[in-house]
Amino acid sequence: MIKFSRAPVLTAVILFGITNARAGGWTDPVEVRQEENLCLTYQAKLDGSLLVVRAAIEPGWHTFAMDMKKRADEKLAGKASLGIERGTEFVLSGGLQTVGPWRQSEPKDFSRPEIRYYSWGYERQATFAAKVRRTGAGPVRIAIRGQACTDKACKNIDAAISLALDDVKADGEPEINLKNLIQVR
């Protein structure tokens, strides 16, 4: 009978997980925290001609759609509101430029019309994507602004992802199905 030490097996499993995550082309996660509490993480990758950004949202937290203000303004029709959270936004600099509209996961309606509060966003996960073209060698900086909230507190998001463009093609057919995302208004 051959005996194996658990330490090398565990190390191999951990390394496989890290290698497998990077093999998908995703950046390292960028964490958004409120003090000690993790609110959400963002990752990005080029998928054919698309830049894809995904958010993994911690239980109890939610974040907001890119077109929050436009959606709320439509519902309010000129009336005053209790307030509007900050929608998610991405600003690219470095080696990529968007060449089409952003798309996003279908947001959940958090609205409470009886008090003229309108809000749409995401719990657990969200995906955002836009067609891009290369404008330089990179690396690309993806600035992320927005807000994440619980039922008791909110955290302004001011984060950035760095995406290297070395050996990455920003063309070809994407793996992601854009039919699963809606166009940002």
Side-chain angles (χ1 to χ4, degrees):
M1 182 165 154
I2 301 173
K3 288 189 173 184
F4 293 97
S5 166
R6 288 182 186 248
V9 173
L10 181 58
T11 302
V13 169
I14 291 169
L15 288 176
F16 175 76
I18 292 170
T19 304
N20 198 25
R22 296 254 174 96
W26 292 102
T27 61
D28 290 332
V30 172
E31 296 181 344
V32 175
R33 292 184 171 274
Q34 182 186 42
E35 297 174 12
E36 303 293 318
N37 302 315
L38 180 62
C39 307
L40 66 148
T41 58
Y42 289 101
Q43 290 180 285
K45 77 172 186 172
L46 278 179
D47 184 5
S49 61
L50 296 176
L51 172 64
V52 181
V53 180
R54 67 181 177 190
I57 305 159
E58 291 298 304
W61 287 90
H62 57 273
T63 192
F64 301 98
M66 292 182 77
D67 48 13
M68 266 278 302
K69 182 163 177 17
K70 182 163 181 62
R71 288 171 179 262
D73 288 347
E74 288 171 0
K75 291 288 187 179
L76 289 165
K79 295 179 184 170
S81 172
L82 287 177
I84 298 175
E85 285 86 359
R86 186 173 186 182
T88 301
E89 66 179 273
F90 303 101
V91 177
L92 306 181
S93 59
L96 290 179
Q97 178 181 37
T98 58
V99 292
W102 279 94
R103 299 182 71 83
Q104 63 187 350
S105 301
E106 181 76 45
K108 180 179 179 179
D109 190 345
F110 300 135
S111 301
R112 295 180 52 206
E114 67 277 7
I115 60 170
R116 287 197 315 254
Y117 170 80
Y118 295 97
S119 177
W120 294 263
Y122 308 101
E123 298 173 318
R124 303 299 296 151
Q125 63 185 9
T127 303
F128 306 91
K131 288 191 178 190
V132 293
R133 71 177 173 87
R134 197 178 276 222
T135 59
V140 176
R141 183 178 189 274
I142 306 163
I144 307 165
R145 305 288 183 271
Q147 198 171 41
C149 297
T150 67
D151 59 346
K152 294 182 173 106
C154 286
K155 165 70 177 165
N156 285 331
I157 298 170
D158 185 11
I161 298 172
S162 181
L163 176 65
L165 294 179
D166 302 339
D167 302 322
V168 176
K169 291 185 179 182
D171 56 13
E173 285 299 312
E175 294 175 14
I176 190 171
N177 186 349
L178 285 180
K179 291 179 183 176
N180 296 331
L181 304 176
I182 63 169
Q183 185 171 318
V184 172
R185 297 180 187 184

